[in-house]
Amino acid sequence: MEVSSLPISASHRGKLISAGYSSLSSLSSVSPSKLAQDLKISENEVLEILKVVSARKWVDKIENRSHAIMNGAQTAWDILHEEESSICITTSCSDLDEILGGGIRCKEVTEIGGVPGIGKTQLGIQLAVNVQIPADYGGLGGKAIYIDTEGSFMVERASQIAEACAEDMLEYNSLLRKDSQACRVDKPPKAFMDNIFYFRICTYTEQIAVVNYLEKFINEHKDIKIVIIDSITFHFRQEFEDMALRTRLLSGMALKLMKLAKKFNLAVVLLNQVTTKYNEGSFQLTLALGDSWAHASTNRIILYWNGNERYAYIDKSPSMRSASAPYAVTSRGIRNSASNCKRVKLM
Amino acid sequence: MANKPISEMGLPKSIANVFAARNIITAKDALSLSEFELMELLDVGFEEVMLAVAHISEITCPPYHTAMSLLEQRNQNEYLAGHLPTRLKGVDAALCGGIPFGVVTELVGPAGIGKTQFCLKLALLASLPTSYGGLGGRVIYVDVESKFSSRRMIEMGFSSFPEIFHTEGLAQEMAGRVLVLRPASLSEFTESLQQIRVSLLQHHVKLLIIDSMAALTSGEYGQGPPRHHPLGWHISFIKSLAECCRIPVVVTNQVRSQGRDEASRYIFQVQSRTDTMEDPSKFDSHLVAALGIHWAHAVSIRLVLESRSGQRLIKIAKSSISPSVGFFFNITSSGISLLSDEGVEMMGPEANTIHCQGLI
């Protein structure tokens, strides 16, 4: 019954079916005035319905052409080519970048979770700064949206990290471009701070509203390449007696964020908290929001303590294997852990 | 913003009426339903629903700021860019100025370590007039365990600022700015919070101290860990108070011993589970902060006070601007004073563990 799947109002649908129009072809041969008479609605409303029908028929026609490739599909080769030429957002820690396959990828939703104090917000702020590294230094040269649900974003810290990044860029510039006087792209810390758009969200309604609004916002402000939500959990953890509603809202939000990532070719990073789960005879730590949420993100990274060091573990990724890497939180931001002693690589 | 009625959002008349007819009054009602559910409920086409939801979302969404504008705002409008100095040089340096405005700072430690002393000193510092380096405003002190001692606070004042306090009437003026509330139960506390919100802006309150948060729930736990944290609402309310009014909020927390079933590992860390299982004696001396992991996520700065072999130590355990560093201190007539301004670096998760050796 094709008519029952049209995106028109329920009463119009009901009227069409009871008047005997159950397939799209039956609507193509009837005049608007006759339809208005049969359904007992105005001609304007009939024209609206016919507009929806013709849009649907056009889509069907393309799908039915047997010699054409499926509408909307992309070949795996094209996707591979796209992925290889896309630039990842570095985390400023080369070990972490390595297990991530280069860094945080665009067009994907990455979830990062951990106990309080492990460095989730630090990583979020570092990514908001690193996405702005200009293309000459191997970065994306984009802007960042930081959605703060807990009030954990501290501007002074963002300023510290931005300054450190600018200093690193200057150092890299002087070291490797000594011979050529090629473009010296100076990026003062102030410029970094100007390109971080900060939203403070106080309820789950505002959280849903901002995710809905992001599409329009990103259309207006070009070049946004990362959306960080810190944290998605906070407003969904208390005051929800209706767990079914919570699951619906969360999955709706996850779908919209995934759509945004693909449509605008940006990275979405969601920071999550931890909770305990009873598993195999003991309590284990696990990321919050439940098992159904676990499917929502493309990649999942867990930050944890291993002895005295901070480690990151790839819990779920379609292309990278599960591995751990150490990292450190320093006054300049996220860096390699001191025990490995590698230089910070910008490219 | 979430409770703004849809009728006032500037939607086209026809659709606004439909929303009202179906009893969808606020943005919260509308956004809690998916677009398809709305389509069925309101009996309108998909396009119209999408447009209406987009419009509602745009109005409900709070305005954005660039990080730069936030920084400039703070530097211009606030005392020391939004910090309350504790007068402990090492701690202030590590915290980039002092206890930050707009976030919740937690003080956790075993009994008798000096949490209340620290709070009394902070209350004193906030009530000092701005010309003497204070915040020049009122302080609301929620004293759950009846530990507030105004005599001790004034003694601290005389000790630390002798030249100021000997001025006539200043002690009275400052003690007059500290308002002490003594809620006897969780429900009274909830009511007082609502009142506090109203008076915060009206009466120039510059600091809120809650001493202690854990005492409010200690009598009220049922069997086993509750599904929803009993203080869940209070935690977000206090955070929102701190942010809207841009004041520092200091909360003290108790400690309890770590239970055997306490989760501390992820599922992929299984291999090292055996060594923790074999050392049951460790659990009894292992203290953790009360109120659980949900609370731990909600605070922005956590200061841990503990004692090691008789020496008292204040550690910055969780802070987004400072590294984990600890300072040895003593309790003196002027409150807390650091033995040295050079901090001792705390490695790894050690900053979060709480020792209580040799205090008595």
Side-chain angles (χ1 to χ4, degrees):
Chain A
M1 290 261 269
E2 297 161 353
V3 161
S4 58
S5 62
L6 283 176
I8 50 180
S9 74
S11 55
H12 286 167
R13 240 183 289 146
K15 285 183 184 158
L16 276 172
I17 294 176
S18 56
Y21 297 97
S22 57
S23 69
L24 295 183
S25 47
S26 58
L27 286 169
S28 57
S29 47
V30 67
S31 74
S33 45
K34 174 151 194 320
L35 198 55
Q37 225 175 14
D38 281 344
L39 301 180
K40 300 190 184 45
I41 54 180
S42 73
E43 275 222 25
N44 278 336
E45 293 179 358
V46 164
L47 288 173
E48 289 291 326
I49 295 176
L50 288 179
K51 210 163 62 172
V52 173
V53 167
S54 62
R56 175 62 71 89
K57 276 176 77 172
W58 184 77
V59 168
D60 279 350
K61 219 194 253 184
I62 295 193
E63 281 176 354
N64 284 333
R65 269 202 306 233
S66 49
H67 59 281
I69 301 177
M70 282 189 66
N71 188 35
Q74 223 184 349
T75 66
W77 181 254
D78 286 337
I79 296 180
L80 179 64
H81 190 67
E82 228 176 61
E83 267 180 25
E84 285 187 338
S85 56
S86 71
I87 306 176
C88 303
I89 304 173
T90 173
T91 58
S92 289
C93 168
S94 55
D95 295 329
L96 196 47
D97 281 347
E98 218 176 282
I99 58 167
L100 285 172
I104 303 287
R105 297 170 178 281
C106 291
K107 285 202 172 184
E108 290 183 3
V109 175
T110 307
E111 184 182 351
I112 303 178
V115 291
I118 194 85
K120 306 185 289 295
T121 304
Q122 300 296 307
L123 190 51
I125 300 179
Q126 184 74 63
L127 290 170
V129 167
N130 285 359
V131 74
Q132 300 177 47
I133 295 177
D136 293 316
Y137 294 85
L140 279 176
K143 303 187 180 169
I145 293 181
Y146 197 100
I147 298 174
D148 188 1
T149 62
E150 302 180 338
S152 37
F153 182 80
M154 308 220 92
V155 268
E156 301 95 340
R157 182 58 172 158
S159 178
Q160 270 179 357
I161 293 184
E163 268 178 46
C165 187
E167 278 171 22
D168 285 341
M169 272 167 49
L170 230 56
E171 192 190 326
Y172 175 79
N173 199 31
S174 60
L175 280 176
L176 273 80
R177 288 168 189 264
K178 274 192 292 234
D179 41 343
S180 67
Q181 283 302 311
C183 41
R184 268 203 73 204
V185 187
D186 264 337
K187 204 156 171 125
K190 181 181 186 304
F192 280 110
M193 300 287 276
D194 268 331
N195 290 333
I196 301 179
F197 297 106
Y198 176 81
F199 287 88
R200 175 69 174 100
I201 300 295
C202 301
T203 62
Y204 79 83
T205 315
E206 285 183 10
Q207 197 169 329
I208 301 174
V210 76
V211 172
N212 288 342
Y213 177 55
L214 276 180
E215 181 157 356
K216 180 165 180 208
F217 188 84
I218 297 178
N219 268 322
E220 285 170 9
H221 295 84
K222 303 291 170 191
D223 296 335
I224 291 185
K225 286 295 176 190
I226 192 169
V227 174
I228 301 163
I229 305 190
D230 177 13
S231 59
I232 23 129
T233 335
F234 188 68
H235 294 300
F236 287 91
R237 266 188 116 166
Q238 59 255 30
E239 71 179 44
F240 255 100
E241 292 89 28
D242 186 357
M243 292 309 254
L245 174 65
R246 189 180 96 160
T247 314
R248 271 207 314 273
L249 291 176
L250 283 173
S251 39
M253 216 167 58
L255 280 175
K256 287 185 194 134
L257 288 168
M258 181 68 82
K259 217 172 84 168
L260 270 178
K262 296 227 183 289
K263 178 171 176 184
F264 293 105
N265 194 13
L266 46 85
V268 175
V269 174
L270 308 176
L271 301 180
N272 199 355
Q273 297 176 350
V274 297
T275 181
T276 55
K277 180 166 96 158
Y278 196 71
N279 186 25
E280 290 169 15
S282 66
F283 283 97
Q284 304 269 356
L285 281 177
T286 181
L287 294 192
L289 294 180
D291 295 320
S292 40
W293 173 256
H295 297 287
S297 51
T298 321
N299 305 304
R300 239 185 177 198
I301 303 173
I302 298 185
L303 306 177
Y304 65 102
W305 286 107
N306 188 357
N308 276 341
E309 286 220 71
R310 293 180 156 93
Y311 270 74
Y313 173 75
I314 307 276
D315 188 45
K316 168 181 156 181
S317 163
S319 49
M320 302 307 298
R321 52 189 290 239
S322 289
S324 287
Y327 69 96
V329 179
T330 67
S331 57
R332 301 168 71 78
I334 305 275
R335 294 291 187 269
N336 277 331
S337 114
S339 50
N340 287 349
C341 241
K342 285 192 196 149
R343 284 200 65 114
V344 172
K345 295 194 311 205
L346 274 176
M347 269 240 212
Chain B
M1 272 303 191
N3 290 328
K4 188 171 186 179
I6 294 184
S7 48
E8 293 175 15
M9 284 193 189
L11 280 172
K13 238 1 181 126
S14 53
I15 196 134
N17 289 338
V18 176
F19 271 107
R22 294 286 181 220
N23 213 24
I24 299 182
I25 311 290
T26 62
K28 182 173 175 175
D29 301 327
L31 294 175
S32 301
L33 298 166
S34 73
E35 277 96 9
F36 285 102
E37 285 169 331
L38 277 175
M39 208 170 85
E40 289 295 308
L41 189 62
L42 302 173
D43 197 14
V44 291
F46 194 63
E47 280 291 327
E48 272 192 80
V49 165
M50 290 297 287
L51 284 173
V53 168
H55 187 86
I56 296 175
S57 302
E58 187 175 348
I59 306 265
T60 312
C61 181
Y64 75 92
H65 300 279
T66 61
M68 194 67 217
S69 64
L70 284 179
L71 193 60
E72 284 170 351
Q73 231 174 41
R74 307 242 169 113
N75 282 332
Q76 274 169 9
N77 299 345
E78 288 180 355
Y79 183 71
L80 282 189
H83 292 276
L84 165 63
T86 60
R87 302 290 172 121
L88 302 170
K89 273 226 300 253
V91 173
D92 283 346
L95 290 177
C96 294
I99 309 275
F101 291 7
V103 291
V104 178
T105 303
E106 181 192 15
L107 286 174
V108 61
I113 196 92
K115 304 187 293 291
T116 306
Q117 301 294 307
F118 198 74
C119 291
L120 289 174
K121 187 68 184 288
L122 286 177
L124 180 78
L125 290 171
S127 62
L128 279 178
T130 39
S131 44
Y132 295 117
L135 294 181
R138 293 206 165 87
V139 176
I140 293 186
Y141 195 109
V142 179
D143 182 24
V144 181
E145 297 172 323
S146 299
K147 285 200 195 136
F148 183 83
S149 158
S150 33
R151 185 179 310 166
R152 174 65 176 134
M153 193 175 80
I154 298 190
E155 181 196 346
M156 283 190 202
F158 273 109
S159 256
S160 342
F161 309 103
E163 65 290 346
I164 306 173
F165 267 75
H166 285 295
T167 318
E168 185 98 21
L170 195 66
Q172 185 187 4
E173 187 191 327
M174 288 179 30
R177 291 205 191 125
V178 178
L179 304 160
V180 181
L181 285 169
R182 293 203 165 106
S185 69
L186 187 58
S187 42
E188 266 189 52
F189 177 61
T190 314
E191 263 181 55
S192 337
L193 273 185
Q194 311 272 24
Q195 275 184 352
I196 288 174
R197 170 173 240 157
V198 170
S199 53
L200 266 181
L201 290 166
Q202 275 180 337
H203 300 290
H204 304 291
V205 176
K206 300 284 183 176
L207 172 64
L208 172 63
I209 300 181
I210 302 178
D211 179 16
S212 70
M213 196 75 171
L216 287 168
T217 54
S218 45
E220 313 206 10
Y221 266 121
Q223 285 287 30
R227 187 178 175 115
H228 289 288
H229 201 285
L231 290 179
W233 174 82
H234 304 80
I235 295 172
S236 4
F237 192 77
I238 293 172
K239 275 183 83 121
S240 67
L241 274 183
E243 280 192 46
C244 307
C245 311
R246 289 293 301 167
I247 56 166
V249 174
V250 177
V251 177
T252 58
N253 194 3
Q254 295 168 347
V255 295
R256 56 180 176 81
S257 30
Q258 186 174 37
R260 198 148 302 193
D261 280 339
E262 203 81 15
S264 57
R265 302 208 173 271
Y266 291 98
I267 212 163
F268 57 85
Q269 287 179 290
V270 177
Q271 61 272 26
S272 38
R273 215 160 34 132
T274 44
D275 41 13
T276 37
M277 295 302 260
E278 281 163 18
D279 192 10
S281 62
K282 213 169 79 156
F283 284 120
D284 293 327
S285 62
H286 213 145
L287 297 172
V288 291
L291 292 182
I293 207 161
H294 180 49
W295 169 253
H297 276 296
V299 300
S300 305
I301 310 258
R302 175 174 258 191
L303 298 171
V304 174
L305 286 81
E306 64 172 14
S307 87
R308 288 187 193 177
S309 349
Q311 272 291 9
R312 294 170 198 249
L313 182 62
I314 178 170
K315 300 188 291 202
I316 301 179
K318 176 182 174 187
S319 160
S320 43
I321 358 178
S322 21
S324 294
V325 64
F327 302 89
F328 287 101
F329 70 93
N330 263 336
I331 303 201
T332 62
S333 59
S334 54
I336 291 193
S337 57
L338 298 182
L339 291 181
S340 146
D341 286 326
E342 295 287 315
V344 175
E345 199 186 330
M346 302 279 118
M347 294 302 293
E350 188 202 330
N352 267 304
T353 56
I354 306 173
H355 298 99
C356 188
Q357 303 154 348
L359 187 54
I360 312 293

